[in-house]
Amino acid sequence: MYAAVLVYLFALGLVALGRFTEAEKFTQWAGALWLPPVLLMSIYLSFKGSLWARYYLLGEGPTVVGNGLLVMVTQGVIEANSFNTKFYFIAGAWSAILFSQALAEKVNSLKREKAAALRVAVAEKTARLLEAEEYKNSLEEKVSLRTKELSVEVLMHKITSQQLRVSQTKLEEMAYSDALTGLPNRRMFQDRLVQAFTWAQRQQCEFALALVDLDHFKRINDSMGHGAGDQLLHLVAQRLNYALRHCDTVARLGGDEFALIFTAPISREGAITICQRILASFDELVVIDGQLVQVGMSIGLAWYPADGDDMDALIGSADVALYKAKAAGRHTLRYAGYLSDEPKLNS
């Protein structure tokens, strides 16, 4: 079909130049040369379902007849008459009409193919976009799920950290506290005593240390049982803690032994007054396990730096004063140094 277009265009060019005879002969010979293969191709495409090829065959049939008549008239085989002369032009017009239809159908066919290809491309792109959207949604779900998992992990980590802190606090309390009375134990007492020494040395002032021992605790523990003994230790711990200032320390060293640290600044008279108040709080009988019990205690008091300028010396002086209190008849107070000034309490 494209070859036919080129032939007719070339023939039109010859006509435009006024060379009618050459145009007519060119058309005839060109038609004789390209027409058989074109017809065969058109027949083949017609069987394949090509509508434009069928249009072309319908239009080219009369043209073949008209060309044959024209050749026979030109060669003198037949005489020219109105029929064969008009038939040639009628066949040409008919061929041009169907040829135009064939061109239009070819163009429409190309358009349909293009539209079909476009639809396929759009469908493929749409499918890819849907896949991308599904993949995006899948990623978002995974991210959301992982975020929730991480939130749970963070929460569990926080809970675990809190539990560890609580456990650490409990362990520290167990390490530095007396399990029975809740008072600082011997380890905490030593730390507090070091702090008291450091502060007094820095401020160049005094502080006091007292050692307390319950009188006849073993007798009460043996006669009334360990439960009664524990109740007595609780009561003593509460009263000692209540008698001291907030800045002072009361610790249980073990058994029925307690220690009091009067943090600087404190006067000697102030420390003696607190110790006398502690002794006075046990002048009357106390109720232990439903029974009235007489509780007594001995207190030995020492001062830094007069009775010891280091921990061992100060503790030793307080221990000597405690021994003097027990030797003086118990439930009394004695302090290191200035023995002539020792108070006489319940001696």
Side-chain angles (χ1 to χ4, degrees):
M1 189 179 68
Y2 295 120
V5 173
L6 293 175
V7 168
Y8 285 121
L9 289 176
F10 187 74
L12 288 174
L14 293 175
V15 171
L17 296 174
R19 302 172 67 176
F20 300 104
T21 304
E22 289 83 349
E24 183 179 0
K25 290 181 179 180
F26 176 77
T27 304
Q28 293 173 358
W29 286 104
L33 293 175
W34 59 262
L35 188 57
V38 170
L39 289 175
L40 293 174
M41 182 60 69
S42 298
I43 292 170
Y44 173 76
L45 294 176
S46 295
F47 280 110
K48 290 293 185 179
S50 175
L51 188 58
W52 69 265
R54 294 173 184 174
Y55 280 135
Y56 181 78
L57 288 175
L58 291 174
E60 197 62 31
T63 303
V64 172
V65 176
N67 286 336
L69 292 174
L70 182 59
V71 171
M72 286 188 289
V73 170
T74 304
Q75 299 299 324
V77 176
I78 60 175
E79 294 182 357
N81 55 36
S82 59
F83 171 76
N84 53 36
T85 303
K86 292 179 181 180
F87 184 81
Y88 175 79
F89 292 103
I90 293 173
W94 174 253
S95 177
I97 292 172
L98 292 182
F99 188 73
S100 299
Q101 289 295 324
L103 284 176
E105 179 58 28
K106 181 61 176 177
V107 171
N108 291 332
S109 176
L110 293 175
K111 288 181 178 180
R112 286 193 296 270
E113 292 176 0
K114 182 177 180 182
L118 182 60
R119 285 194 298 271
V120 171
V122 170
E124 291 178 352
K125 187 173 183 180
T126 302
R128 288 195 295 269
L129 288 175
L130 290 176
E131 291 178 359
E133 187 67 22
E134 291 178 357
Y135 183 68
K136 175 186 174 184
N137 294 334
S138 175
L139 285 179
E140 290 178 350
E141 290 178 359
K142 291 180 180 179
V143 170
S144 177
L145 179 60
R146 185 55 182 162
T147 302
K148 291 180 180 178
E149 292 176 352
L150 289 176
S151 300
V152 173
E153 291 178 3
V154 170
L155 179 60
M156 294 301 296
H157 177 72
K158 289 182 179 179
I159 294 174
T160 304
S161 298
Q162 292 176 354
Q163 292 175 344
L164 288 175
R165 284 195 294 269
V166 171
S167 299
Q168 183 178 2
T169 302
K170 290 182 178 179
L171 288 175
E172 290 177 353
E173 291 176 354
M174 292 174 61
Y176 289 95
S177 298
D178 177 60
L180 178 62
T181 62
L183 295 177
N185 58 13
R186 183 181 294 273
R187 183 177 179 183
M188 176 64 77
F189 161 74
Q190 292 175 345
D191 290 345
R192 295 285 178 85
L193 190 58
V194 170
Q195 294 176 11
F197 264 98
T198 303
W199 177 257
Q201 290 173 351
R202 185 180 301 152
Q203 300 297 322
Q204 296 184 353
C205 56
E206 290 185 327
F207 76 92
L209 170 67
L211 296 181
V212 180
D213 196 5
L214 299 184
D215 297 333
H216 307 297
F217 175 74
K218 186 176 184 303
R219 184 176 60 191
I220 297 174
N221 208 25
D222 292 341
S223 62
M224 300 181 64
H226 292 287
D230 291 344
Q231 289 184 27
L232 177 57
L233 291 175
H234 268 290
L235 177 63
V236 172
Q238 291 176 357
R239 293 193 179 184
L240 291 177
N241 206 19
Y242 178 76
L244 266 62
R245 303 170 301 169
H246 291 295
C247 60
D248 297 333
T249 298
V250 54
R252 183 188 177 203
L253 303 182
D256 61 342
E257 298 179 0
F258 295 86
L260 310 177
I261 301 175
F262 300 94
T263 307
I266 187 170
S267 64
R268 296 190 178 190
E269 292 77 9
I272 292 173
T273 300
I274 294 174
C275 290
Q276 290 175 337
R277 187 162 59 241
I278 292 172
L279 289 173
S281 67
F282 287 97
D283 286 343
E284 297 181 358
L285 299 177
V286 297
V287 178
I288 300 296
D289 200 17
Q291 301 182 36
L292 293 175
V293 178
Q294 178 68 51
V295 179
M297 62 181 59
S298 300
I299 303 176
L301 187 62
W303 282 271
Y304 168 85
D307 300 323
D309 56 359
D310 59 51
M311 288 180 53
D312 293 336
L314 187 63
I315 293 175
S317 298
D319 194 48
V320 170
L322 177 62
Y323 176 78
K324 291 179 181 179
K326 288 180 176 293
R330 302 180 183 272
H331 196 58
T332 186
L333 166 67
R334 290 295 182 268
Y335 47 88
Y338 305 100
L339 298 182
S340 60
D341 295 330
E342 291 179 357
K344 300 186 182 296
L345 297 173
N346 301 324
S347 56

